[in-house]
Amino acid sequence: MIIETAGKILESNNLCDHCLGRLFAKLGRGTNGERGKAIRFVLNMERSAKGLPPFEKPETCELCGNVFDRIPELVEELENVSSGIEFETFLVGSRFPPEVREKEETLWREFGIETAEPINREFNRELGKAFGRVVGKETSRDPDVVFIVESYSGKIELQINPLYIYGRYRKLVRGIPQTPLPDFEDSVASIVCRPFSKASGGKCVFKGAGREDVDVRMLGNGRPFIVEIKRPRRRNLDLNAIAEEINASGRVEVLNLHLVSAKEAEEVLTGNHRKEYLALVRVDDGVTPEEAREVAERLRGIEIHQRTPWRVRKARADRIRIKKVHEAEARWLDGRHFELRLVTDGGLYIKELVSGDRGRTSPSVSELLGKPAWCERLDVLNILDD
C-alpha cells in the first residue's frame, strides 16, 4: 500500500526524499530522508521490473524547494547569532510560508494520507540535531535559548530565556525601601541587583514575597525573594561570590541563593506566609505591666478586621481583610513603652493593628487599652514558611 500510494503521488508531484518520507513519518523508524530514499528505491525496483522509467530525485522539490539542503548554512548562522551567549540547552522553531503548509495539507487530502507530519516539525528536528552536534548542546522542552528560523529568508530570532534565582534577604538598617523610590539613593532591590546584572550581563528584576516599610528592618531568617534575570548572556553564575558582594554592603544580607524554575518562582511569590514581628508600642497616657500583659492575652488567637489602611488607600483596593493573630507576648519596658511580639497572618498591617487607624482596624491595641497607642518601632523577625 505504501509503495502503491507513493507511486501515485510521484506521478504528479516531484518530491525530494524528505517530503516523500514525511508522508509516511508515523510508519517505521529512521529519518524522513532515509524513509523517502528507501521508498523511492523499492518503487524504482518495481518499475524497472516492469520496464518503466525510475522516479528520479528532482533537482528542485515542488513542495519544500530543497529547504533541507540549507541546514548546514543555517547551522553556521545559529552559531553566529548565539556567539557570546552561555547556554546548555536549546530549542529550534521555524516559520514556513502559508502556501507551503497549504500545499502539503492538500497533498494529504488528495491521497488520503494519515501518517504524515508537518514540514516545520521535521525541519525543526533536523536543524536542531545538526546544530546540537556542532555545538555539543542538547535540545530541551525547557531550554535556555530558543531559535526561531525563517526557513527561506534565513532570518533568525534568538530568544534568551530568563534565569530565576531564589533567596532570602535581611534588611539590617532602617531607611531603605524594598524597591527604588524617589528621594532614596538605594533600595534592597538595587543593592541585590547590581552584582547579578554585572555577573550575568542581563537585566535584573527584583520581586519580594511581600514587603516591609522603609523604616522597618527585616531580620531573622529573611524575606523570600526572586531575582529574574532577563536575556542573560552568562548563565553559569557564582552565587556565593554574588552573595558576598551583596553582604559586604552592611545594609542588606542575602541567604540561600539558588536557581529555581519559573513555576517555583511563581509559587514563592504567590504564597501567603505567617510573619513574626517585634513592635515597640508607645502609650503617651501611660501603660502598666498588667495592661501590657492583658493586651497580649486578648490579642492571642483573635481575628482582626482591617480595612485598607489610610496611608496606603491610594495604592491598594479599599476593602476589609480578616486576619488572625496567632501568638502575642508583651514585655513592659517603662511607663510609656512596651514591646509586643506577634505572629500573624501575612498581610496584616501591624502599625495599624497598634494605632487602630481611626477605627479602620478593629480590635486594635489602642481599642483594647482604651487609650491611644502608637507603633514607635517595628521589626520583622521571621517569615514563617508553610
Side-chain angles (χ1 to χ4, degrees):
M1 293 293 293
I2 295 173
I3 299 302
E4 181 181 346
T5 302
K8 292 178 180 179
I9 292 170
L10 291 180
E11 283 175 1
S12 55
N13 297 272
N14 290 319
L15 302 181
C16 68
D17 289 340
H18 282 278
C19 291
L20 176 61
R22 192 169 59 256
L23 295 170
F24 308 97
K26 297 178 182 179
L27 303 176
R29 297 182 179 181
T31 68
N32 288 331
E34 293 168 344
R35 186 177 292 107
K37 185 177 181 179
I39 291 172
R40 193 187 303 272
F41 178 77
V42 173
L43 181 59
N44 284 338
M45 286 181 64
E46 290 189 356
R47 290 178 65 81
S48 177
K50 297 175 182 179
L52 298 173
F55 289 122
E56 301 289 356
K57 183 178 177 180
E59 288 188 12
T60 302
C61 176
E62 290 182 359
L63 178 56
C64 75
N66 297 354
V67 71
F68 291 91
D69 293 344
R70 299 194 61 203
I71 284 180
E73 67 181 84
L74 289 173
V75 167
E76 291 185 13
E77 286 302 310
L78 293 179
E79 285 188 277
N80 293 336
V81 168
S82 59
S83 177
I85 306 296
E86 282 186 358
F87 66 96
E88 294 301 323
T89 57
F90 70 95
L91 196 62
V92 172
S94 60
R95 297 191 183 103
F96 277 79
E99 55 268 26
V100 174
R101 299 293 303 274
E102 289 168 5
K103 186 173 182 179
E104 181 173 60
E105 291 171 8
T106 298
L107 199 62
W108 299 347
R109 289 192 297 270
E110 181 181 350
F111 293 95
I113 301 295
E114 298 180 352
T115 55
E117 72 170 348
I119 186 172
N120 61 309
R121 189 177 300 172
E122 180 188 8
F123 185 79
N124 297 346
R125 182 174 61 248
E126 295 304 317
L127 180 55
K129 283 161 53 177
F131 180 64
R133 285 193 295 268
V134 170
V135 297
K137 312 291 185 182
E138 295 183 353
T139 58
S140 169
R141 292 184 178 180
D142 184 23
D144 296 335
V145 296
V146 178
F147 300 94
I148 306 298
V149 180
E150 298 280 357
S151 53
Y152 292 103
S153 70
K155 180 181 176 182
I156 298 173
E157 297 175 18
L158 174 61
Q159 173 185 315
I160 305 174
N161 286 337
L163 284 173
Y164 297 94
I165 296 98
Y166 167 91
R168 301 179 83 104
Y169 78 81
R170 300 173 65 201
K171 190 174 80 175
L172 306 178
V173 297
R174 305 184 197 281
I176 302 179
Q178 186 191 77
T179 53
L181 289 176
D183 303 323
F184 288 90
E185 182 180 348
D186 255 330
S187 64
V188 173
S190 62
I191 292 171
V192 169
C193 278
R194 274 194 292 267
F196 274 107
S197 295
K198 183 172 63 175
S200 67
K203 180 182 178 181
C204 174
V205 179
F206 179 94
K207 303 173 184 180
R211 61 174 62 226
E212 67 285 330
D213 289 341
V214 171
D215 60 344
V216 175
R217 293 185 299 176
M218 177 65 244
L219 306 175
N221 64 351
R223 184 182 297 280
F225 70 90
I226 295 293
V227 163
E228 178 184 357
I229 303 177
K230 297 183 177 183
R231 293 189 64 82
R233 297 187 66 82
R234 295 175 292 279
R235 307 182 79 89
N236 298 314
L237 306 181
D238 187 340
L239 296 181
N240 290 330
I242 290 173
E244 288 179 6
E245 186 172 346
I246 295 168
N247 296 348
S249 71
R251 295 175 291 171
V252 175
E253 288 182 354
V254 292
L255 316 167
N256 196 24
L257 296 180
H258 61 273
L259 291 168
V260 293
S261 66
K263 182 180 178 181
E264 290 169 327
E266 182 180 2
E267 290 171 352
V268 169
L269 298 174
T270 56
N272 194 3
H273 307 282
R274 293 182 182 182
K275 298 176 177 65
E276 181 182 5
Y277 298 93
L278 183 64
L280 177 63
V281 179
R282 189 185 86 237
V283 186
D284 289 339
D285 292 343
V287 64
T288 66
E290 292 75 21
E291 286 176 316
R293 186 166 54 251
E294 183 181 353
V295 165
E297 289 174 356
R298 294 179 66 182
L299 282 174
R300 200 172 299 131
I302 201 170
E303 283 190 342
I304 306 297
H305 291 245
Q306 188 169 68
R307 187 174 176 183
T308 302
W310 188 259
R311 64 188 170 95
V312 298
R313 68 194 185 282
K314 294 182 179 179
R316 300 284 188 273
D318 189 11
R319 62 186 180 89
I320 295 175
R321 299 167 177 82
I322 300 176
K323 302 291 183 179
K324 188 174 182 179
V325 177
H326 298 277
E327 298 178 22
E329 296 177 0
R331 185 169 76 94
W332 185 82
L333 299 176
D334 57 45
R336 293 176 58 190
H337 296 90
F338 68 96
E339 285 184 341
L340 194 58
R341 188 190 70 83
L342 302 165
V343 175
T344 75
D345 286 340
L348 179 62
Y349 292 86
I350 303 302
K351 293 176 180 178
E352 285 71 20
L353 174 63
V354 175
S355 70
D357 194 28
R358 308 180 191 180
R360 295 167 75 92
T361 295
S362 181
S364 66
V365 172
S366 293
E367 183 180 333
L368 296 175
L369 281 173
K371 44 192 166 183
W374 307 96
C375 183
E376 194 168 273
R377 190 177 67 226
L378 181 64
D379 290 324
V380 185
L381 297 184
N382 286 295
I383 307 293
L384 306 176
D385 294 330
D386 295 336

